Each structure stands twice: as structure tokens, then as C-alpha cells.
Amino acid sequence: MSTYVITGANRGIGLELCRQVKVRGHEVVAVCRKPSEDLKQLNVRIVERIDVSRLKDAERLRQQLNGTKIDILVNVAGVLSKQTLGEIDDEAIENIRHQFDVNAIGPILVTQALLDLMSEGSKVGIITSRMGSIEDNSSGGSYGYRMSKAAVNAAGKSLAMDLKPRGISV
């Protein structure tokens, strides 16, 4: 049995990953800001009030997991808001920054905070998106989401290089 820590666990991909991992008999630590009723019904360990974009929250997550050996960390938490060229104003700029904070910086903060709970053979996953591909962008728009997902792809590569000597795969 492995221990999985999954961020963004309250809905969508994160919730379904929690469900699938639990069905396979693994221990699940579901991390979210606020748990949904669906998540509560899974009967997994829930760590709530964690905003992955905040260093203090990542450190609080580490404290709450003290003594837990993490086999697999899956960074799922993400946000999407669409921006259209010609309509980018102060609010759109704040939304772009928020997407960077959650989608690109969040996985770095969470991985860093939980690093001491991982050992050789542990794995770190980052859920990205086809929209993070520069080559595959055939429709434009969604500036903040596309840029933040491209940035997290770069972060994943850097994490892979930095964690390779520890025997942790990304």
C-alpha cells in the first residue's frame, strides 16, 4: 500500500484521482481549500484550508503530515480564467497572476514543503494541460492559463533535475 497526497482534491480531476487511488487500496491524503460533500464521502484523510499558492499554507500542510511517508505526491490544484486580447484590464491581470500563483508556483511550494516526507523511490506528479504547449496552441486566448501551464512544465523539468539525485522521480 502506498500513500498518495493529492492537491485540488475537492472536485474534478483531483476528486477522481482520490476515488481511483482509494479503490486500489492505497492511503489517500486529500488536500484542498474546502472539502466537497463528494470528497467527504470517500472516507479518506482530508487536509483542508490549504491554498497551494501560499507558502504558509504549504508549511502548515507539512506540519499536519508530520511523520507521514509520502510515496506519491500529485499536484492537481489549478484554476482557469479566460482572457481575450483587447479585453485585458486590471481585473484580467489579477486573474492572470492568480493563475500563475496556483498553477505554476503552487506545485513548487507544495513539493518543497513535503520534500522531507519523501524518500528514494517517491514520485511527484504535476497535472498540466495541452494548453501549456506552445507548439499546439492553435486558438490563442486564455493567456493566464496557457502561460501558467507552460511555466509549470518548466518547473516540472527543473524539479526532475533537482530531485533526481535523491531518487525521486517527477
Side-chain angles (χ1 to χ4, degrees):
M1 179 174 75
S2 298
T3 299
Y4 285 69
V5 173
I6 301 171
T7 68
N10 62 314
R11 64 186 180 90
I13 294 170
L15 177 63
E16 186 58 28
L17 279 174
C18 289
R19 183 177 287 117
Q20 293 294 322
V21 169
K22 170 84 173 170
V23 165
R24 288 177 173 77
H26 299 288
E27 183 179 341
V28 175
V29 178
V31 180
C32 58
R33 286 177 295 149
K34 182 180 178 187
S36 63
E37 288 304 315
D38 289 337
L39 179 59
K40 291 176 186 177
Q41 292 176 8
L42 290 182
N43 195 28
V44 298
R45 181 176 175 190
I46 299 173
V47 180
E48 59 184 289
R49 294 188 318 272
I50 301 295
D51 180 336
V52 299
S53 69
R54 295 186 175 154
L55 181 59
K56 288 181 181 181
D57 284 9
E59 291 169 350
R60 188 165 38 81
L61 173 61
R62 164 66 174 92
Q63 291 170 354
Q64 291 187 30
L65 295 181
N66 193 30
T68 302
K69 181 186 177 290
I70 299 171
D71 298 296
I72 301 174
L73 166 62
V74 187
N75 292 287
V76 180
V79 294
L80 177 145
S81 64
K82 296 182 178 183
Q83 295 77 40
T84 304
L85 191 62
E87 297 176 4
I88 297 176
D89 56 13
D90 287 339
E91 181 180 350
I93 292 167
E94 285 307 310
N95 286 332
I96 290 170
R97 286 187 178 115
H98 181 63
Q99 288 172 97
F100 263 91
D101 288 345
V102 174
N103 299 348
I105 298 170
I108 298 168
L109 295 179
V110 171
T111 302
Q112 174 180 271
L114 301 182
L115 193 54
D116 289 342
L117 302 176
M118 293 184 268
S119 59
E120 187 171 342
S122 292
K123 296 180 172 110
V124 175
I126 301 171
I127 301 299
T128 183
S129 167
R130 183 173 165 184
M131 287 179 72
S133 170
I134 295 169
E135 178 66 25
D136 194 48
N137 183 350
S138 60
S139 63
S142 299
Y143 289 93
Y145 189 76
R146 288 184 187 283
M147 292 185 308
S148 68
K149 288 301 186 174
V152 82
N153 290 340
K157 176 62 177 179
S158 289
L159 283 169
M161 300 307 296
D162 290 343
L163 298 179
K164 185 176 182 179
R166 294 178 180 226
I168 298 173
S169 300
V170 178

